[in-house]
Amino acid sequence: PYTWTINDFEKPAISDLVVYELHIRDFLTKRNYQTLLDTLPYLQRLGINAIEFMPLGEFEGNESWGYNPSFHGALDKYYGTKNALKELIDTCHARGIAVILDMVLNHAFGQSPMVRMYFEGDGPALSSPWLNPIAKHDFNVGYDYNHESQATKKYTKDILRYWVEEYKFDGYRMDLSKGFTQNNTLGNTAAWGAYDASRVAIWKDYADYLWSIDDDAYLILEHFADNTEERELANYGMMFWGNINHDYRNLAKGSGTSNISWGIYTTRGWDDPNLLSYMESHDEERMMYTTLKEGNTSESPEYNVRDFNTALFRSELAAALFFPIPGPKMIWQFGEIGYDYSIDFNGRVGNKPVRWDYYDEGPRRRLYQVYSALINLRRDHPEVFRTTDFTASVSGIVKIIRLRHPDMNVISLGNIAVTSRDAVPGFENTGWWYEYFSGDSLNVTDLSASIALEPGEYRLYTDVRLATPDIIAGVNEVPGPLGWTELYPNPAAAGTQIAVLFELGTAAEVTARITDLNGRLNSVEQFGQLPAGRRGQTLRMPSTPGIYLVELEAGGERTVNRVVVQ
């Protein structure tokens, strides 16, 4: 038996949730719970407070996304043992991270004994106490459960109880929850999404049972039904997946205006912030992929969204217009470092490259730092980001989110166009406002005054001075001639040469200077005129051990990196 160390975990409030959805197979090269346990510091630094696992129950075949279940109450052996999973969940709880399980109870596949015991011809028999002989909706896969059957209700409740009690999961994301109905809509997808009183009753019954076991367990539905139905269930206490992928991808690409308002619970008329909105999920195309492939351009001035650095900067813009919106949020794995493989790479559900090396690239690590700064801003000021007194003008080219709270007012705004725009932030009060990422202060004297935003530029203002987050290179600036810089190896041996890796947005004269911590110049190296792109040069280290600063200058811009000489 596993001996639990955390028995009184307090779940984050729904309004504070920042969920990290992951698929162990495509997140870790070793694909096991122990490796994920070792990776928790990376997620904790990011600031997330919940992990949502794609299905872990026994599925058909050797590897899968997991949405083809055969034994709902059995842990699949692919990722490790029961106690390894329990240790992982225990450690997550010790770090303040909730753990959510993606559960698939719309259907079962052919190895399930429920399918096999009552099978006739090519499907379940009419006498099956659990399964419909013919599915009731067009999106069904496998064999469709009858959730009006008392046998299915008993089975479903047993499963909901088991994973919470046995593994201490903090709740569920329920796959294909709209399928929990006996209303036959085959051939009519619109009718399937319409308000369904019987489906509402089924879900209220399941929710009441789950909450009788764990009164604050999360119940998240992948529903995508009529808003009247979702609103009723959301007001009952359930959460819903909020898919805003299409509009955030358009935002990042600079195409059209994009309208992200459906990711805001008040837009839907809900009483509580039970909309778990996301820019990406396991089921959606990757934002960075479409930005690089389909991004817009401008010739005057020259601005190309498909440029690598610019595309990453556009991901920062999207994040700045996502995390400040009140309500729970979800990130798909590696979105925080600009994962740029299509969902269809190697087939939709096929293995995807595991790219932890992305974090070692300066521009991608900067995106991680921007995500982290925004998430931790929410964490450090929960009451502000729980406020119900907020507005969001997010259907146009310039998008503005305004939060009002006695502790602090917040305005986040961004220009999604590929040309410059003037924006009226709509400051709540005159006086000093502070830009969060740069630390710049602005004395507001005219509440109707406008500010100029360059293409893709974003800003986040507060009327309380906050500590400026530690973000590398060019904070809140459109990428210019000089992007990121990396030194390798670091530490370096005295008198040896190291590699200086950097990115040039345009051709430029490049100069490197080495100084000590007192500002005394050690050496200067002229690299000459270099073309745009990723470049590498060598630089000889001082002969005396110590800590030195390597300053790289190009096109009037500079970066500074520390190097330890041993």
Side-chain angles (χ1 to χ4, degrees):
Y2 180 79
T3 302
W4 295 90
T5 60
I6 304 298
N7 292 293
D8 55 353
F9 177 65
E10 186 173 337
K11 299 179 184 65
I14 286 175
S15 57
D16 298 340
L17 277 174
V18 179
V19 179
Y20 195 91
E21 187 194 13
L22 66 84
H23 180 35
I24 295 176
R25 185 197 71 185
D26 293 341
F27 189 60
L28 303 163
T29 303
K30 292 188 176 181
R31 301 173 175 177
N32 59 48
Y33 299 123
Q34 180 59 51
T35 305
L36 183 57
L37 190 152
D38 297 337
T39 309
L40 291 180
Y42 168 91
L43 296 175
Q44 193 167 28
R45 289 195 305 273
L46 183 61
I48 61 98
N49 56 14
I51 294 172
E52 181 181 303
F53 286 105
M54 285 173 66
L56 302 177
E58 179 72 27
F59 48 74
E60 311 262 304
N62 289 324
E63 61 174 84
S64 168
W65 269 10
Y67 296 102
N68 52 341
S70 49
F71 298 88
H72 292 96
L75 184 69
D76 195 285
K77 61 184 176 296
Y78 188 63
Y79 306 119
T81 66
K82 291 177 66 172
N83 279 3
L85 175 58
K86 290 177 181 180
E87 182 185 8
L88 172 60
I89 294 171
D90 208 13
T91 306
C92 285
H93 287 167
R95 290 177 173 270
I97 299 172
V99 187
I100 300 165
L101 179 62
D102 198 334
M103 180 56 66
V104 189
L105 283 163
N106 169 83
H107 53 266
F109 271 64
Q111 290 180 355
S112 167
M114 295 179 175
V115 174
R116 294 165 67 92
M117 285 193 294
Y118 295 85
F119 202 81
E120 205 170 76
D122 58 358
L126 281 171
S127 57
S128 172
W130 300 288
L131 297 157
N132 290 312
I134 299 174
K136 298 296 184 181
H137 61 91
D138 290 302
F139 279 71
N140 186 75
V141 293
Y143 300 103
D144 185 32
Y145 275 110
N146 172 3
H147 281 278
E148 289 187 353
S149 161
Q150 290 304 311
T152 299
K153 289 178 183 291
K154 169 73 165 60
Y155 178 66
T156 297
K157 291 174 181 178
D158 285 348
I159 297 302
L160 294 177
R161 173 175 50 80
Y162 174 73
W163 293 89
V164 167
E165 290 185 347
E166 180 69 20
Y167 292 94
K168 296 190 184 293
F169 275 101
D170 299 296
Y172 299 98
R173 179 263 190 189
M174 302 300 297
D175 181 65
L176 253 177
S177 58
K178 192 164 59 180
F180 286 40
T181 178
Q182 286 300 100
N183 182 22
N184 190 346
T185 58
L186 285 174
N188 190 341
T189 302
W192 182 45
Y195 181 89
D196 184 338
S198 64
R199 184 167 55 207
V200 169
I202 287 168
W203 274 114
K204 286 183 177 179
D205 179 47
Y206 287 154
D208 288 341
Y209 180 79
L210 177 61
W211 293 331
S212 73
I213 299 164
D214 182 348
D215 59 6
D216 57 357
Y218 306 124
L219 185 58
I220 307 165
L221 305 187
E222 185 204 22
H223 219 58
F224 306 130
D226 187 86
N227 186 53
T228 56
E229 181 172 330
E230 292 200 358
R231 182 176 62 223
E232 181 176 343
L233 294 175
N235 291 345
Y236 200 73
M238 299 172 223
M239 280 188 281
F240 287 81
W241 258 27
N243 180 5
I244 321 297
N245 173 262
H246 175 77
D247 283 293
Y248 273 101
R249 283 194 290 126
N250 278 341
L251 182 160
K253 291 188 296 185
S255 61
T257 55
S258 86
N259 185 349
I260 58 176
S261 62
W262 204 239
I264 306 171
Y265 75 96
T266 53
T267 302
R268 304 189 181 202
W270 297 7
D271 294 341
D272 299 307
N274 288 348
L275 181 65
L276 183 62
S277 57
Y278 56 85
M279 298 186 287
E280 296 176 305
S281 77
H282 74 269
D283 229 5
E284 310 300 332
E285 185 58 275
R286 312 301 171 225
M287 186 163 63
M288 185 67 174
Y289 172 79
T290 53
T291 305
L292 288 168
K293 185 177 180 181
E294 303 170 9
N296 281 0
T297 62
S298 169
E299 294 182 359
S300 181
E302 183 179 352
Y303 183 84
N304 183 2
V305 173
R306 300 184 193 188
D307 171 79
F308 175 74
N309 278 346
T310 306
L312 281 171
F313 192 77
R314 302 287 301 194
S315 294
E316 294 180 23
L317 166 70
L321 296 170
F322 174 69
F323 289 109
I325 297 173
K329 299 286 177 282
M330 188 179 79
I331 306 165
W332 168 242
Q333 64 183 33
F334 295 138
E336 72 283 1
I337 49 176
Y339 193 79
D340 47 12
Y341 288 83
S342 171
I343 191 174
D344 293 320
F345 180 90
N346 193 30
R348 185 177 183 84
V349 300
N351 293 38
K352 302 298 187 287
V354 179
R355 297 302 305 268
W356 281 100
D357 58 307
Y358 275 5
Y359 182 75
D360 296 328
E361 298 180 20
R364 294 185 190 272
R365 188 164 68 251
R366 172 185 158 86
L367 177 61
Y368 172 95
Q369 291 171 335
V370 169
Y371 265 62
S372 179
L374 290 164
I375 295 169
N376 285 301
L377 179 64
R378 288 172 55 104
R379 180 203 63 195
D380 294 342
H381 302 276
E383 296 302 327
V384 173
F385 289 91
R386 292 173 188 164
T387 184
T388 57
D389 185 9
F390 69 93
T391 56
S393 303
V394 290
S395 61
I397 292 292
V398 173
K399 302 188 187 299
I400 306 175
I401 301 155
R402 303 181 182 92
L403 311 182
R404 294 172 285 271
H405 190 271
D407 292 348
M408 182 172 69
N409 294 312
V410 178
I411 295 177
S412 187
L413 70 163
N415 170 23
I416 75 167
V418 295
T419 55
S420 59
R421 289 286 194 276
D422 288 335
V424 179
F427 293 107
E428 294 298 318
N429 48 270
T430 58
W432 289 102
W433 287 74
Y434 307 94
E435 209 289 311
Y436 176 56
F437 291 97
S438 65
D440 291 344
S441 55
L442 177 66
N443 190 8
V444 175
T445 58
D446 180 0
L447 299 182
S448 300
S450 64
I451 60 175
L453 293 176
E454 294 300 316
E457 186 177 7
Y458 63 90
R459 299 184 190 178
L460 193 152
Y461 289 102
T462 64
D463 61 358
V464 174
R465 184 183 287 278
L466 304 174
T468 304
D470 184 16
I471 297 175
I472 60 175
V475 172
N476 231 22
E477 297 173 1
V478 177
L482 184 59
W484 60 277
T485 320
E486 293 284 344
L487 306 178
Y488 182 82
N490 188 3
T496 62
Q497 289 191 328
I498 67 168
V500 183
L501 309 174
F502 53 93
E503 179 101 13
L504 291 178
T506 59
E509 289 273 350
V510 181
T511 302
R513 296 180 180 85
I514 302 177
T515 62
D516 64 20
L517 292 181
N518 292 318
R520 290 187 291 265
L521 182 65
N522 180 274
S523 64
V524 178
E525 183 74 28
Q526 301 284 350
F527 294 142
Q529 181 81 9
L530 298 176
R534 296 190 179 189
R535 300 289 161 229
Q537 298 288 329
T538 58
L539 191 62
R540 186 167 297 280
M541 291 293 96
S543 57
T544 303
I547 299 175
Y548 294 86
L549 302 178
V550 176
E551 176 189 305
L552 208 64
E553 183 176 357
E557 297 185 357
R558 70 188 188 109
T559 61
V560 179
N561 291 69
R562 288 191 178 198
V563 61
V564 177
V565 176
Q566 299 175 332

